[in-house]
Amino acid sequence: MATFELKNVSKIYDGKVTAVQNINLAADDGELVVLVGPSGCGKTTVLRMIAGLEEITEGELIIDGKIMNDVPPKDRDIAMVFQNYALYPHMTVYENMSFGLRLRKVSKNEIDKRVMNAAGILGLENLLNRKPAALSGGQRQRVALGRAIVRNPKIFLFDEPLSNLDAKLRTQMRAEILKLHRELQATMVYVTHDQIEAMTLGDKIVVLNEGKVQQIGKPLELFDKPVNKFVAAFIGTPSMNFIEGKIERNGDYVFVGETGSFRLKFNIHNYDKLKTYVNQSVVLGFRPEDIKLSENETEIKAVIEFMETLGSEIILYLKIDDVSVTGKINMVTDLKPGGKISIEINENKLHFFDSTTKQRIN
Ligand code: ATP
């Protein structure tokens, strides 16, 4: 069990490539922290610095109140689970799980106790004598988890551990990792590029981009109040709609899209900070979920370009004059491509961003 903190941490490879820039983040004892961001944003580098596999160029790593920058990996009491399991093919499941403990000269009895306990947690009891080649992908990943559990480490690090599995198995293993976290009450850091995985796993999600922390928050905070346009676009599927335009005031407050064709009246009382942006450029954002079909004629008329039916929901790709917009609505049967519809956009769920800084305004 442990707490950890990264304080003003940067990583510069070979004095040239800044992979991570001035990161601050902390985990409480027993917390599951998810690092999420696009490829190359520095997730793996952060994990490797915590594990001690990569030197920290600037800043401090603190575990349980102690600065750990110069402590060798083997003395950090951290276990890492990788994407490619890295199991030894010639060893059985039992041997794979016990290998690290044998190296550390842990007694046979203790090894047996720990392996059997981990096998019980992971449902591997009947597979202990099999070799990795005779296991499914999910079972192999469980063995890799087992190998980490038997070490009883202070901190677990997961580097995209599920990305080699198919979608169904991934969902199942995600649930198992959550269960594991509950049972072990261990401090865990989980890296993924998949925002859905992040949203379903995290107590605390850290969104990274270009080596910098963009936002740290609970899943709903990131969804409802993204601090900038990057987080707004990254979290949620389909992605948020963005339209560049201007706030005009003509009695009412109106957002007018750049090309003049998209207009949306809104109540300024919900967006006090926008008052200083009148006649200035802003970016309007709204989620596909916040569009709905209107039975009455509304001011916003759209043409359905194409649509994806997902069973209980439909994704609509719409054109409002020259502006493309995505909507996600509950299933209705009478829509077809080329059809004209009237829509409403939930005026309490608008997001506004500064067009220069891309930071949230409201
Ligand atoms: P992915 O999701 O693709 O694994 P990531 O978010 O984990 O990406 P990192 O692997 O941490 O990203 O890489 C961050 C940046 O640092 C990238 O620009 C990468 O090219 C660079 N980088 C990583 N390792 C090294 C290295 N050993 N030497 C130089 N640059 C590196």
Side-chain angles (χ1 to χ4, degrees):
M1 291 296 177
T3 61
F4 84 85
E5 191 179 353
L6 293 172
K7 257 190 176 169
N8 305 320
V9 165
S10 296
K11 173 71 191 179
I12 303 164
Y13 286 106
D14 312 322
K16 293 196 288 274
V17 183
T18 304
V20 168
Q21 209 178 327
N22 201 25
I23 277 193
N24 286 290
L25 70 94
D28 290 335
D29 192 20
E31 196 168 34
L32 171 58
V33 178
V34 179
L35 301 184
V36 66
S39 179
C41 71
K43 306 178 292 290
T44 299
T45 301
V46 171
L47 221 54
R48 288 174 61 82
M49 286 192 288
I50 298 172
L53 302 173
E54 213 62 76
E55 214 174 284
I56 295 173
T57 314
E58 270 168 35
E60 286 173 349
L61 165 69
I62 300 166
I63 297 178
D64 283 342
K66 283 199 212 104
I67 296 177
M68 300 296 277
N69 293 43
D70 298 325
V71 175
K74 66 177 177 37
D75 299 329
R76 291 194 185 191
D77 203 2
I78 287 173
M80 192 152 166
V81 180
F82 298 93
Q83 172 179 349
N84 57 355
Y85 332 132
L87 301 180
Y88 297 107
H90 58 286
M91 291 186 193
T92 63
V93 168
Y94 187 100
E95 288 163 347
N96 262 291
M97 281 166 68
S98 58
F99 183 68
L101 298 180
R102 274 187 281 140
L103 281 187
R104 278 157 207 258
K105 308 262 187 293
V106 177
S107 75
K108 258 195 150 146
N109 271 348
E110 180 65 20
I111 290 178
D112 202 53
K113 210 170 87 191
R114 292 205 205 170
V115 172
M116 295 317 285
N117 176 47
I121 293 174
L122 296 164
L124 291 170
E125 297 104 318
N126 298 326
L127 303 172
L128 289 170
N129 293 323
R130 293 231 192 131
K131 301 243 170 93
L135 298 174
S136 70
Q139 289 164 341
R140 277 181 217 163
Q141 192 50 273
R142 254 177 238 147
V143 178
L145 289 175
R147 208 168 37 180
I149 295 172
V150 295
R151 288 187 44 196
N152 196 16
K154 273 189 173 171
I155 302 176
F156 285 84
L157 305 177
F158 297 99
D159 192 2
E160 308 237 8
L162 308 185
S163 49
N164 283 347
L165 306 179
D166 66 44
K168 192 169 164 213
L169 202 51
R170 226 167 30 228
T171 313
Q172 208 177 318
M173 287 296 294
R174 242 186 252 154
E176 291 197 21
I177 286 177
L178 274 178
K179 195 168 128 225
L180 193 68
H181 178 241
R182 262 201 314 274
E183 278 176 28
L184 301 175
Q185 308 217 327
T187 310
M188 296 180 169
V189 186
Y190 189 104
V191 158
T192 177
H193 65 273
D194 178 349
Q195 52 96 14
I196 296 180
E197 191 154 290
M199 296 290 271
T200 49
L201 277 176
D203 299 337
K204 182 191 267 178
I205 301 177
V206 181
V207 183
L208 288 175
N209 189 35
E210 295 178 346
K212 293 190 205 135
V213 172
Q214 305 292 311
Q215 186 169 5
I216 301 179
K218 291 181 184 301
L220 272 185
E221 286 167 359
L222 301 180
F223 191 80
D224 289 338
K225 284 256 166 245
V227 295
N228 58 29
K229 194 177 165 213
F230 175 82
V231 177
F234 190 73
I235 301 286
T237 15
S239 188
M240 186 184 280
N241 294 294
F242 296 105
I243 304 176
E244 300 259 351
K246 236 175 165 183
I247 306 287
E248 288 183 2
R249 192 172 173 197
N250 192 351
D252 295 317
Y253 284 83
V254 185
F255 171 87
V256 183
E258 225 168 20
T259 54
S261 55
F262 180 93
R263 300 175 69 84
L264 182 67
K265 238 191 272 176
F266 64 94
N267 185 345
I268 196 72
H269 294 308
N270 294 333
Y271 305 97
D272 260 353
K273 291 185 191 142
L274 270 183
K275 283 184 182 156
T276 57
Y277 279 81
V278 171
N279 291 327
Q280 287 184 44
S281 298
V282 295
V283 178
L284 165 70
F286 54 90
R287 295 211 177 270
E289 294 82 347
D290 295 323
I291 284 182
K292 77 175 190 198
L293 296 186
S294 173
E295 293 187 356
N296 307 314
E297 290 268 307
T298 60
E299 282 179 33
I300 307 180
K301 298 194 176 40
V303 177
I304 303 172
E305 293 224 290
F306 55 102
M307 45 201 269
E308 287 167 8
T309 307
L310 305 177
S312 61
E313 287 165 331
I314 309 179
I315 314 278
L316 296 173
Y317 298 90
L318 305 171
K319 264 270 159 53
I320 302 169
D321 282 323
D322 51 357
V323 177
S324 296
V325 161
T326 310
K328 187 175 179 183
I329 58 166
N330 287 335
M331 184 67 195
V332 281
T333 50
D334 55 353
L335 296 179
K336 52 180 186 309
K340 293 196 175 73
I341 54 175
S342 282
I343 61 166
E344 287 171 44
I345 298 169
N346 186 341
E347 72 152 276
N348 298 315
K349 294 275 184 81
L350 306 178
H351 306 255
F352 290 96
F353 303 93
D354 186 293
S355 18
T356 315
T357 64
K358 310 290 188 241
Q359 297 299 306
R360 183 184 191 84
I361 299 170
N362 56 309

